[in-house]
Amino acid sequence: MSPRVLPASFYDRDVVQVARGLLGMRLVRILEGQRLAGIIVETEAYRGEDDLACHARAGKTARTAVMYGPPGRAYIYFTYGMHWLLNCVSQPEGYPAAVLVRALLPLEGLEVISARRAGRSKAQWCNGPGKVCQALGVTGALNGGDLCDPRGELFIELYQPVPESAVQTSPRVGIDRVPEPWLSMPWRFVAYSH
């Protein structure tokens, strides 16, 4: 395994730690032979069947089965009838948890990313989870893929860990109908130095 690709052991721990740890890592998509990449600058953690904001709240279904699988897999789902969203499965196999990748700072393949996000400024290319997937060409075809495989089409590399002084936490976005304590859990992480 390439030493730069994050190993499964990185994901095989508490999902909140993984969400924090993914800040500053480099998400890589190989699209038609070209490498597209960006630094992860915003994440959210979703943990277990008890977390009423987590898809696993309904238990194991065809949709959520990947979340119960081995850590370090991609959980990709379609939402609002229009957007693909990328999550990284975390915690030991059998416990459903995942980190939503909410935003990237584009680094590589900028011409392709620009074309895929045509008509938007660079600041708007990857500043939301649906935008990340559109910019990198991530779809449900990659659901269940191994994020630890450097020969794969989607993986995450060690890049520049973000110091605590540059990390902001807040409640997760877009879960207004979820009751407390889940509504206010500070499980959104933003690297605001970038």
Side-chain angles (χ1 to χ4, degrees), residues 70-108:
R73 299 301 169 104
Y75 170 46
I76 301 167
Y77 62 87
F78 204 54
T79 189
Y80 302 122
M82 59 194 301
H83 298 298
W84 291 104
L85 301 187
L86 168 64
N87 299 259
C88 307
V89 175
S90 303
Q91 306 224 170
E93 187 166 357
Y95 187 94
V99 176
L100 174 64
V101 176
R102 286 196 52 87
L104 294 181
L105 185 66
L107 274 186
E108 300 174 49

Short mmCIF file of all heavy atoms in Angstrom, two decimals, residues 70-108:
data_model
loop_
_atom_site.label_atom_id
_atom_site.label_comp_id
_atom_site.label_asym_id
_atom_site.label_seq_id
_atom_site.Cartn_x
_atom_site.Cartn_y
_atom_site.Cartn_z
N PRO A 70 -17.06 -2.76 6.46
CA PRO A 70 -15.73 -2.43 6.97
C PRO A 70 -15.43 -0.93 6.92
O PRO A 70 -15.92 -0.23 6.02
CB PRO A 70 -14.78 -3.22 6.07
CG PRO A 70 -15.57 -3.67 4.90
CD PRO A 70 -17.01 -3.60 5.26
N PRO A 71 -14.64 -0.43 7.87
CA PRO A 71 -14.26 0.98 7.85
C PRO A 71 -13.38 1.29 6.64
O PRO A 71 -12.67 0.41 6.14
CB PRO A 71 -13.50 1.16 9.17
CG PRO A 71 -13.02 -0.21 9.54
CD PRO A 71 -14.04 -1.16 9.00
N GLY A 72 -13.46 2.55 6.19
CA GLY A 72 -12.65 2.96 5.05
C GLY A 72 -13.33 2.73 3.71
O GLY A 72 -12.68 2.79 2.67
N ARG A 73 -14.63 2.49 3.73
CA ARG A 73 -15.39 2.35 2.48
C ARG A 73 -16.15 3.64 2.20
O ARG A 73 -16.44 4.43 3.10
CB ARG A 73 -16.37 1.18 2.56
CG ARG A 73 -15.69 -0.16 2.78
CD ARG A 73 -14.70 -0.47 1.66
NE ARG A 73 -13.86 -1.61 1.95
CZ ARG A 73 -14.02 -2.81 1.43
NH1 ARG A 73 -15.03 -3.04 0.60
NH2 ARG A 73 -13.18 -3.78 1.73
N ALA A 74 -16.51 3.82 0.94
CA ALA A 74 -17.29 5.00 0.53
C ALA A 74 -18.78 4.67 0.65
O ALA A 74 -19.24 3.66 0.12
CB ALA A 74 -16.95 5.38 -0.91
N TYR A 75 -19.50 5.52 1.37
CA TYR A 75 -20.96 5.42 1.43
C TYR A 75 -21.48 6.63 0.65
O TYR A 75 -21.32 7.77 1.08
CB TYR A 75 -21.44 5.44 2.89
CG TYR A 75 -22.93 5.60 3.06
CD1 TYR A 75 -23.84 4.85 2.32
CD2 TYR A 75 -23.45 6.50 3.99
CE1 TYR A 75 -25.21 5.00 2.49
CE2 TYR A 75 -24.81 6.65 4.17
CZ TYR A 75 -25.69 5.90 3.40
OH TYR A 75 -27.04 6.06 3.57
N ILE A 76 -22.04 6.35 -0.53
CA ILE A 76 -22.46 7.42 -1.43
C ILE A 76 -23.95 7.27 -1.69
O ILE A 76 -24.41 6.19 -2.07
CB ILE A 76 -21.68 7.36 -2.76
CG1 ILE A 76 -20.17 7.49 -2.49
CG2 ILE A 76 -22.16 8.45 -3.72
CD1 ILE A 76 -19.30 7.13 -3.67
N TYR A 77 -24.70 8.33 -1.44
CA TYR A 77 -26.14 8.23 -1.65
C TYR A 77 -26.65 9.47 -2.38
O TYR A 77 -25.97 10.50 -2.46
CB TYR A 77 -26.87 8.04 -0.31
CG TYR A 77 -26.70 9.18 0.66
CD1 TYR A 77 -27.54 10.28 0.64
CD2 TYR A 77 -25.68 9.16 1.61
CE1 TYR A 77 -27.38 11.33 1.52
CE2 TYR A 77 -25.51 10.20 2.50
CZ TYR A 77 -26.36 11.29 2.45
OH TYR A 77 -26.19 12.33 3.32
N PHE A 78 -27.86 9.34 -2.92
CA PHE A 78 -28.52 10.38 -3.71
C PHE A 78 -29.52 11.09 -2.80
O PHE A 78 -30.23 10.44 -2.04
CB PHE A 78 -29.24 9.72 -4.89
CG PHE A 78 -29.48 10.62 -6.06
CD1 PHE A 78 -28.43 11.31 -6.66
CD2 PHE A 78 -30.74 10.75 -6.59
CE1 PHE A 78 -28.65 12.12 -7.76
CE2 PHE A 78 -30.98 11.56 -7.70
CZ PHE A 78 -29.92 12.24 -8.28
N THR A 79 -29.55 12.41 -2.86
CA THR A 79 -30.47 13.15 -1.99
C THR A 79 -31.18 14.26 -2.77
O THR A 79 -30.64 14.75 -3.77
CB THR A 79 -29.73 13.71 -0.77
OG1 THR A 79 -30.67 14.25 0.16
CG2 THR A 79 -28.75 14.80 -1.15
N TYR A 80 -32.32 14.63 -2.29
CA TYR A 80 -33.14 15.70 -2.91
C TYR A 80 -33.40 15.44 -4.39
O TYR A 80 -33.68 16.37 -5.14
CB TYR A 80 -32.50 17.07 -2.73
CG TYR A 80 -32.27 17.45 -1.30
CD1 TYR A 80 -30.99 17.76 -0.85
CD2 TYR A 80 -33.31 17.50 -0.38
CE1 TYR A 80 -30.77 18.11 0.48
CE2 TYR A 80 -33.09 17.84 0.95
CZ TYR A 80 -31.82 18.14 1.37
OH TYR A 80 -31.60 18.48 2.67
N GLY A 81 -33.24 14.19 -4.83
CA GLY A 81 -33.48 13.86 -6.23
C GLY A 81 -32.50 14.48 -7.19
O GLY A 81 -32.73 14.49 -8.40
N MET A 82 -31.36 15.00 -6.66
CA MET A 82 -30.43 15.68 -7.57
C MET A 82 -28.96 15.62 -7.20
O MET A 82 -28.11 15.85 -8.05
CB MET A 82 -30.84 17.15 -7.74
CG MET A 82 -30.88 17.93 -6.45
SD MET A 82 -31.74 19.52 -6.57
CE MET A 82 -30.82 20.37 -7.82
N HIS A 83 -28.62 15.34 -5.94
CA HIS A 83 -27.21 15.42 -5.53
C HIS A 83 -26.69 14.09 -4.99
O HIS A 83 -27.36 13.44 -4.18
CB HIS A 83 -27.03 16.45 -4.40
CG HIS A 83 -27.39 17.84 -4.79
ND1 HIS A 83 -26.74 18.53 -5.80
CD2 HIS A 83 -28.34 18.68 -4.32
CE1 HIS A 83 -27.27 19.73 -5.91
NE2 HIS A 83 -28.25 19.84 -5.04
N TRP A 84 -25.48 13.72 -5.39
CA TRP A 84 -24.76 12.62 -4.76
C TRP A 84 -23.97 13.20 -3.59
O TRP A 84 -23.42 14.30 -3.70
CB TRP A 84 -23.80 11.96 -5.74
CG TRP A 84 -24.49 11.20 -6.84
CD1 TRP A 84 -24.63 11.59 -8.14
CD2 TRP A 84 -25.14 9.93 -6.73
NE1 TRP A 84 -25.34 10.65 -8.84
CE2 TRP A 84 -25.66 9.61 -8.00
CE3 TRP A 84 -25.34 9.03 -5.67
CZ2 TRP A 84 -26.35 8.43 -8.25
CZ3 TRP A 84 -26.02 7.85 -5.91
CH2 TRP A 84 -26.52 7.56 -7.19
N LEU A 85 -23.89 12.46 -2.48
CA LEU A 85 -23.11 12.88 -1.32
C LEU A 85 -22.15 11.76 -0.94
O LEU A 85 -22.52 10.58 -0.92
CB LEU A 85 -24.01 13.21 -0.13
CG LEU A 85 -25.07 14.31 -0.34
CD1 LEU A 85 -25.76 14.63 0.97
CD2 LEU A 85 -24.47 15.57 -0.93
N LEU A 86 -20.91 12.15 -0.61
CA LEU A 86 -19.85 11.20 -0.28
C LEU A 86 -19.62 11.15 1.23
O LEU A 86 -19.42 12.19 1.87
CB LEU A 86 -18.55 11.61 -0.97
CG LEU A 86 -17.27 10.90 -0.51
CD1 LEU A 86 -17.34 9.40 -0.83
CD2 LEU A 86 -16.06 11.55 -1.17
N ASN A 87 -19.62 9.94 1.76
CA ASN A 87 -19.34 9.70 3.18
C ASN A 87 -18.26 8.64 3.30
O ASN A 87 -18.14 7.76 2.44
CB ASN A 87 -20.59 9.18 3.90
CG ASN A 87 -21.74 10.17 3.84
OD1 ASN A 87 -22.01 10.88 4.79
ND2 ASN A 87 -22.44 10.21 2.72
N CYS A 88 -17.50 8.69 4.39
CA CYS A 88 -16.46 7.72 4.67
C CYS A 88 -16.90 6.87 5.85
O CYS A 88 -17.09 7.39 6.96
CB CYS A 88 -15.16 8.43 5.03
SG CYS A 88 -14.63 9.66 3.82
N VAL A 89 -17.08 5.56 5.63
CA VAL A 89 -17.52 4.66 6.69
C VAL A 89 -16.43 4.57 7.76
O VAL A 89 -15.24 4.42 7.45
CB VAL A 89 -17.85 3.27 6.12
CG1 VAL A 89 -18.20 2.29 7.24
CG2 VAL A 89 -19.00 3.38 5.13
N SER A 90 -16.86 4.67 9.02
CA SER A 90 -15.93 4.67 10.15
C SER A 90 -16.40 3.71 11.23
O SER A 90 -17.51 3.19 11.16
CB SER A 90 -15.81 6.09 10.73
OG SER A 90 -15.40 7.00 9.73
N GLN A 91 -15.57 3.54 12.23
CA GLN A 91 -15.82 2.66 13.37
C GLN A 91 -15.72 1.19 12.93
O GLN A 91 -15.68 0.89 11.75
CB GLN A 91 -17.15 2.99 14.05
CG GLN A 91 -17.24 4.45 14.45
CD GLN A 91 -17.78 4.72 15.83
OE1 GLN A 91 -17.71 5.84 16.28
NE2 GLN A 91 -18.31 3.75 16.53
N PRO A 92 -15.66 0.26 13.89
CA PRO A 92 -15.51 -1.15 13.54
C PRO A 92 -16.69 -1.67 12.72
O PRO A 92 -17.81 -1.17 12.84
CB PRO A 92 -15.43 -1.84 14.90
CG PRO A 92 -14.95 -0.80 15.84
CD PRO A 92 -15.56 0.48 15.34
N GLU A 93 -16.41 -2.68 11.91
CA GLU A 93 -17.45 -3.30 11.09
C GLU A 93 -18.62 -3.75 11.97
O GLU A 93 -18.42 -4.27 13.07
CB GLU A 93 -16.87 -4.50 10.35
CG GLU A 93 -17.82 -5.11 9.34
CD GLU A 93 -17.15 -6.07 8.39
OE1 GLU A 93 -15.92 -6.24 8.46
OE2 GLU A 93 -17.87 -6.65 7.56
N GLY A 94 -19.83 -3.50 11.49
CA GLY A 94 -21.03 -3.85 12.25
C GLY A 94 -21.64 -2.68 12.99
O GLY A 94 -22.81 -2.73 13.35
N TYR A 95 -20.85 -1.60 13.20
CA TYR A 95 -21.38 -0.40 13.85
C TYR A 95 -21.53 0.67 12.77
O TYR A 95 -20.54 1.08 12.16
CB TYR A 95 -20.44 0.10 14.95
CG TYR A 95 -21.03 1.23 15.75
CD1 TYR A 95 -21.72 0.98 16.93
CD2 TYR A 95 -20.95 2.55 15.31
CE1 TYR A 95 -22.30 2.01 17.66
CE2 TYR A 95 -21.53 3.59 16.02
CZ TYR A 95 -22.20 3.31 17.19
OH TYR A 95 -22.78 4.34 17.90
N PRO A 96 -22.76 1.14 12.50
CA PRO A 96 -22.98 2.07 11.39
C PRO A 96 -22.62 3.51 11.72
O PRO A 96 -23.27 4.15 12.54
CB PRO A 96 -24.48 1.93 11.14
CG PRO A 96 -25.05 1.65 12.51
CD PRO A 96 -24.01 0.81 13.21
N ALA A 97 -21.59 4.00 11.08
CA ALA A 97 -21.17 5.39 11.27
C ALA A 97 -20.44 5.85 10.02
O ALA A 97 -19.81 5.04 9.33
CB ALA A 97 -20.26 5.50 12.49
N ALA A 98 -20.53 7.14 9.72
CA ALA A 98 -19.86 7.66 8.53
C ALA A 98 -19.62 9.15 8.67
O ALA A 98 -20.32 9.85 9.42
CB ALA A 98 -20.69 7.37 7.28
N VAL A 99 -18.63 9.62 7.95
CA VAL A 99 -18.28 11.05 7.90
C VAL A 99 -18.70 11.60 6.54
O VAL A 99 -18.26 11.09 5.51
CB VAL A 99 -16.76 11.26 8.08
CG1 VAL A 99 -16.42 12.74 7.94
CG2 VAL A 99 -16.29 10.72 9.43
N LEU A 100 -19.52 12.62 6.56
CA LEU A 100 -19.91 13.33 5.33
C LEU A 100 -18.80 14.32 4.97
O LEU A 100 -18.40 15.14 5.79
CB LEU A 100 -21.23 14.07 5.55
CG LEU A 100 -21.69 14.98 4.41
CD1 LEU A 100 -21.98 14.20 3.14
CD2 LEU A 100 -22.91 15.80 4.84
N VAL A 101 -18.31 14.23 3.73
CA VAL A 101 -17.34 15.21 3.23
C VAL A 101 -18.14 16.39 2.68
O VAL A 101 -18.82 16.27 1.66
CB VAL A 101 -16.44 14.60 2.14
CG1 VAL A 101 -15.49 15.66 1.57
CG2 VAL A 101 -15.65 13.42 2.72
N ARG A 102 -18.08 17.52 3.39
CA ARG A 102 -18.92 18.67 3.04
C ARG A 102 -18.26 19.68 2.11
O ARG A 102 -18.95 20.40 1.38
CB ARG A 102 -19.38 19.39 4.31
CG ARG A 102 -20.46 18.65 5.09
CD ARG A 102 -21.15 19.56 6.11
NE ARG A 102 -21.63 20.78 5.48
CZ ARG A 102 -22.81 20.92 4.89
NH1 ARG A 102 -23.66 19.92 4.86
NH2 ARG A 102 -23.14 22.06 4.34
N ALA A 103 -16.94 19.81 2.16
CA ALA A 103 -16.29 20.83 1.33
C ALA A 103 -14.82 20.49 1.10
O ALA A 103 -14.17 19.86 1.94
CB ALA A 103 -16.40 22.21 1.97
N LEU A 104 -14.33 20.93 -0.05
CA LEU A 104 -12.93 20.74 -0.44
C LEU A 104 -12.34 22.06 -0.90
O LEU A 104 -13.05 22.92 -1.41
CB LEU A 104 -12.81 19.80 -1.64
CG LEU A 104 -13.17 18.34 -1.58
CD1 LEU A 104 -12.91 17.72 -2.95
CD2 LEU A 104 -12.39 17.64 -0.51
N LEU A 105 -11.02 22.14 -0.79
CA LEU A 105 -10.26 23.20 -1.43
C LEU A 105 -9.60 22.55 -2.65
O LEU A 105 -8.69 21.73 -2.49
CB LEU A 105 -9.20 23.73 -0.46
CG LEU A 105 -8.38 24.92 -0.91
CD1 LEU A 105 -9.25 26.16 -1.05
CD2 LEU A 105 -7.26 25.18 0.09
N PRO A 106 -10.06 22.83 -3.87
CA PRO A 106 -9.54 22.13 -5.05
C PRO A 106 -8.03 22.37 -5.24
O PRO A 106 -7.55 23.49 -5.09
CB PRO A 106 -10.32 22.75 -6.21
CG PRO A 106 -11.53 23.36 -5.60
CD PRO A 106 -11.10 23.80 -4.23
N LEU A 107 -7.33 21.28 -5.59
CA LEU A 107 -5.87 21.33 -5.73
C LEU A 107 -5.38 20.89 -7.11
O LEU A 107 -4.46 21.46 -7.65
CB LEU A 107 -5.21 20.37 -4.73
CG LEU A 107 -4.90 20.76 -3.32
CD1 LEU A 107 -4.14 19.63 -2.65
CD2 LEU A 107 -4.12 22.04 -3.26
N GLU A 108 -5.95 19.79 -7.61
CA GLU A 108 -5.45 19.17 -8.83
C GLU A 108 -6.61 18.92 -9.80
O GLU A 108 -7.72 18.67 -9.38
CB GLU A 108 -4.80 17.82 -8.52
CG GLU A 108 -3.63 17.89 -7.56
CD GLU A 108 -3.13 16.51 -7.20
OE1 GLU A 108 -2.92 15.68 -8.12
OE2 GLU A 108 -2.96 16.23 -6.00
#
